[in-house]
């Protein structure tokens, strides 16, 4: 089970958050940043949720120390402070998400799942959706155990879309990321490659590549499949 370290000095908030999350995750607890490092000396956390305003060592100080130790454990910062300056400070220190109180626990769970999925993709360099597997490390694609032959550009384009399911990438974003800023290709090139990919994975029932008319493209996971 995924372990989450919850760092929160207000006991009622800590207890409620634990109740809301404990059915899906194992929750470790600490009341401030210093206690959190004590916990991490003896246990591993897959993700950290940290409040900002705490005694002894606040959330900003904790994240700063954590990143200085070259620890890249994903961090969600929870706080009642919702100014641009506070968010900027958190992201500059290396947090992954910034959510404001009062906590919407359904939204918090969405962010937890998205971050864990993203970190798994980054660390393993592999995306599995149903019976479809694409590996960045080996530049290979398999569907129902059968190898799919993609060109390097087709692979990069598909991997980009599947890494962020549901996210619409504009044609310009895809052009810059896949073909490069100085490419002489036009938007029609993207359509050609999308059609080639669709043809090669035509009988895939795990996901669809959907066109956002006039904007770009996104990957949509089909019902009954799960990205992990």
């Amino acid at each position: 089970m995924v372990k989450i370290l919850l760092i929160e000095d207000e006991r009622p908030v800590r207890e409620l958050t634990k109740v809301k999350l404990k059915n899906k995750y194992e929750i470790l607890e600490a009341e401030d940043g210093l206690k959190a490092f004590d916990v991490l000396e003896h246990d591993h956390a897959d993700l950290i949720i940290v409040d900002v305003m705490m005694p002894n060592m606040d959330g900003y100080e904790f994240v700063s120390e954590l990143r200085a130790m070259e620890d890249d454990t994903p961090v969600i910062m929870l706080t009642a402070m919702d100014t641009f300056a506070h968010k900027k400070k958190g992201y500059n220190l290396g947090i992954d998400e910034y959510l404001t109180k009062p906590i919407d626990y359904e939204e918090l769970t969405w962010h937890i799942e998205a971050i864990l999925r993203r970190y798994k993709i980054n660390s393993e360099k592999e995306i599995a959706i149903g019976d479809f597997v694409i590996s960045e490390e080996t530049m290979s694609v398999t569907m129902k155990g059968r190898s799919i032959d993609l060109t390097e550009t087709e692979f990069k384009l598909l991997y980009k879309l599947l890494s962020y399911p549901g996210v619409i990438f504009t044609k310009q974003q895809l052009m810059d990321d896949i073909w490069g800023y100085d490419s002489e290709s036009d938007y029609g090139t993207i359509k050609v490659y999308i059609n080639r990919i669709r043809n090669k994975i035509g009988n895939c029932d795990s996901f669809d590549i959907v066109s956002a008319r006039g904007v770009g493209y996104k990957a949509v996971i089909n019902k009954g499949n799960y990205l992990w």
Side-chain angles (χ1 to χ4, degrees):
M1 182 179 285
V2 169
K3 288 186 179 181
I4 294 178
L5 172 57
L6 174 61
I7 314 172
E8 167 65 61
D9 65 315
E10 296 185 27
R11 182 165 184 160
V13 176
R14 196 167 67 243
E15 290 298 323
L16 178 58
T17 304
K18 182 177 180 179
V19 168
K20 294 289 187 179
L21 300 179
K22 69 178 183 180
N23 289 335
K24 297 189 68 173
Y25 316 104
E26 180 179 344
I27 306 299
L28 308 173
E29 299 177 64
E31 60 191 45
D32 59 47
L34 290 178
K35 296 287 180 62
F37 281 118
D38 290 339
V39 172
L40 291 174
E41 280 188 12
H42 306 286
D43 216 330
H44 165 77
D46 298 293
L47 182 143
I48 298 170
I49 299 174
V50 60
D51 187 27
V52 172
M53 300 301 292
M54 297 182 295
N56 301 319
M57 177 183 283
D58 66 25
Y60 293 132
E61 293 171 315
F62 170 80
V63 175
S64 179
E65 289 288 334
L66 188 74
R67 296 304 186 230
M69 296 164 59
E70 299 186 352
D71 188 323
D72 62 355
T73 303
V75 175
I76 296 176
M77 183 167 277
L78 296 178
T79 178
M81 298 184 293
D82 190 23
T83 68
F84 177 81
H86 287 118
K87 292 180 180 180
K88 181 179 180 181
K89 183 176 180 179
Y91 283 115
N92 283 343
L93 288 173
I95 67 169
D96 295 82
E97 296 285 356
Y98 189 107
L99 300 180
T100 55
K101 296 179 178 179
I103 302 169
D104 181 321
Y105 287 100
E106 184 177 7
E107 182 182 5
L108 175 59
T109 301
W110 295 342
H111 284 280
I112 290 171
E113 292 298 319
I115 289 173
L116 292 174
R117 181 173 64 241
R118 188 162 67 237
Y119 268 74
K120 184 175 189 294
I121 290 170
N122 288 341
S123 62
E124 297 190 2
K125 299 185 181 298
E126 182 177 284
I127 303 171
I129 311 170
D131 54 19
F132 186 95
V133 180
I134 180 169
S135 171
E136 185 180 38
E137 186 170 4
T138 61
M139 292 288 288
S140 63
V141 177
T142 59
M143 183 170 63
K144 299 178 181 178
R146 179 175 62 88
S147 178
I148 304 295
D149 185 24
L150 298 181
T151 67
E152 181 179 355
T153 301
E154 291 167 352
F155 181 93
K156 289 180 178 179
L157 181 55
L158 181 58
Y159 195 88
K160 176 77 173 180
L161 294 172
L162 291 179
S163 293
Y164 300 89
V167 175
I168 296 175
F169 287 94
T170 67
K171 295 173 184 178
Q172 189 61 53
Q173 286 174 324
L174 293 174
M175 185 63 66
D176 292 342
D177 290 346
I178 308 301
W179 282 269
Y181 295 100
D182 57 353
S183 173
E184 296 181 359
S185 300
D186 58 23
Y187 292 160
T189 302
I190 301 175
K191 184 176 181 180
V192 169
Y193 276 84
I194 290 291
N195 288 335
R196 288 178 183 175
I197 293 171
R198 285 171 171 163
N199 289 334
K200 290 184 178 183
I201 61 173
N203 61 342
C204 178
D205 54 13
S206 299
F207 65 89
D208 291 312
I209 299 176
V210 177
S211 303
R213 187 177 297 275
V215 181
Y217 299 90
K218 65 178 177 179
V220 176
I221 309 301
N222 292 330
K223 188 175 181 179
N225 293 282
Y226 186 63
L227 172 61
W228 197 241

